[in-house]
Amino acid sequence: MSDKIIHLRGRLFITFDLEAVTGLHIGGSDSGIEIGGVDKTVIRDPLTNRPYVPGSSLKGKMRSLLEKYHAKPQNQRIGQGFIHSCQTDKEYATCDICQVFGVPGERNFGTPTRLVVRDVHMSDQSAEALEKANTDLPYTEVKTEVSIDRVTSAANPRQMERVPAGTVFSPAELVYSIYDGAGCDAQKDVQRLRVLAEGLQLLEDDYLGGQGSRGAGKIAIQNIKVAWRGGASYIGEAEMLGEYGDLGAFVQDLDKVIQTISAKLNA
């Protein structure tokens, strides 16, 4: 039993449209591949058969880019690679990335993960447009690439499934929680919204999913809405704090959003 008391002060809801500016490949299971079929398939919703963007892909990519931008040590093995994860309470206390994105549950110094990232489903408008377009596969295109063996010069053709450019996934939703007590500081959490904005900017300038260095996965974040729920009662509609056409407009207004939430916490 622990005598820690953690107080959830409120939550910020950031929703937006995620548009595939170039073809988007987020890999799914290859268990259904047939001879002569596509080598790399995309992940699909089993109920609608439409491709979707897993929240884990969005969250993981933002975290990875932030770790590199802030030169965090890659000190924990995950599968075939490494990520950053604070090893001591002293390190954790000053690491905004681990505070926002979380640390493994076995770290006894860890506090609640601030950020939740939902799965993002294809918009009905984009699904209807792709159904009419008679694409290679349901809602997707097949891109053929040819690699050349540098020793034998033999051609090695391969096919990759992609969501076509222009497809919109909506609404994407980020839920950012603000805590007090037991190692949490609500005002510091509010300031850490800058980390989240930075992660979104890094993502938009990079790529999502696979084959990014060969042109796939560029995305645009549009039609952003920011809302707040918290204070004396959690019941009721979230209070709208702002609407922005693109990420640049949101970033430009970020100081105002931070000041507004900070004032609500102090009220």
Side-chain angles (χ1 to χ4, degrees):
M1 181 179 293
S2 170
D3 57 357
K4 288 182 179 178
I5 296 177
I6 296 178
H7 183 189
L8 173 62
R9 300 291 305 278
R11 284 185 166 129
L12 193 72
F13 302 87
I14 302 175
T15 58
F16 55 86
D17 296 342
L18 190 156
E19 180 182 358
V21 178
T22 63
L24 179 65
H25 173 85
I26 298 180
S29 170
D30 292 339
S31 60
I33 293 176
E34 300 175 353
I35 295 174
V38 178
D39 296 323
K40 294 182 178 298
T41 59
V42 300
I43 191 166
R44 291 175 181 271
D45 183 323
L47 295 180
T48 64
N49 202 33
R50 297 175 183 175
Y52 72 101
V53 178
S56 57
S57 296
L58 271 176
K59 187 177 181 182
K61 184 69 179 190
M62 281 195 292
R63 178 173 188 150
S64 174
L65 291 169
L66 283 164
E67 288 174 359
K68 291 178 175 61
Y69 184 69
H70 291 280
K72 292 290 184 180
Q74 305 293 292
N75 53 9
Q76 178 167 329
R77 178 180 285 279
I78 297 290
Q80 300 301 312
F82 288 87
I83 66 167
H84 168 72
S85 182
C86 287
Q87 305 294 312
T88 67
D89 56 348
K90 186 177 180 181
E91 186 182 6
Y92 179 71
T94 59
C95 181
D96 292 334
I97 295 173
C98 283
Q99 297 268 354
V100 172
F101 289 85
V103 292
E106 61 266 25
R107 304 275 199 274
N108 58 12
F109 53 77
T111 53
T113 300
R114 293 352 183 239
L115 180 63
V116 172
V117 184
R118 312 282 194 207
D119 292 345
V120 196
H121 295 274
M122 184 180 290
S123 70
D124 288 339
Q125 293 87 344
S126 281
E128 290 169 8
L130 290 170
E131 287 167 0
K132 293 177 182 176
N134 193 25
T135 50
D136 301 318
L137 294 171
Y139 308 106
T140 62
E141 63 185 0
V142 175
K143 182 173 185 286
T144 300
E145 297 181 342
V146 179
S147 63
I148 304 297
D149 188 309
R150 287 178 172 79
V151 177
T152 66
S153 297
N156 178 30
R158 55 192 177 190
Q159 293 183 317
M160 179 178 67
E161 185 181 19
R162 306 195 313 181
V163 175
T167 301
V168 174
F169 296 83
S170 176
E173 184 181 47
L174 312 181
V175 182
Y176 184 82
S177 298
I178 294 174
Y179 294 98
D180 251 338
C184 303
D185 184 321
Q187 292 297 341
K188 286 185 178 177
D189 279 351
V190 177
Q191 294 298 322
R192 289 188 181 108
L193 283 170
R194 299 182 196 283
V195 176
L196 185 54
E198 196 173 52
L200 290 171
Q201 186 69 76
L202 286 163
L203 174 63
E204 199 176 59
D205 291 346
D206 203 85
Y207 62 88
L208 184 64
Q211 319 302 322
S213 65
R214 298 203 291 275
K218 179 176 175 56
I219 58 108
I221 296 170
Q222 302 166 337
N223 301 320
I224 303 167
K225 296 179 181 178
V226 180
W228 164 260
R229 182 182 281 129
S233 174
Y234 198 76
I235 299 173
E237 288 288 324
E239 178 186 355
M240 188 62 65
L241 299 184
E243 298 186 30
Y244 310 95
D246 56 30
L247 186 58
F250 170 59
V251 171
Q252 198 167 30
D253 206 43
L254 184 59
D255 285 343
K256 181 180 175 183
V257 173
I258 288 174
Q259 289 170 9
T260 300
I261 299 172
S262 181
K264 290 180 179 297
L265 293 173
N266 287 329

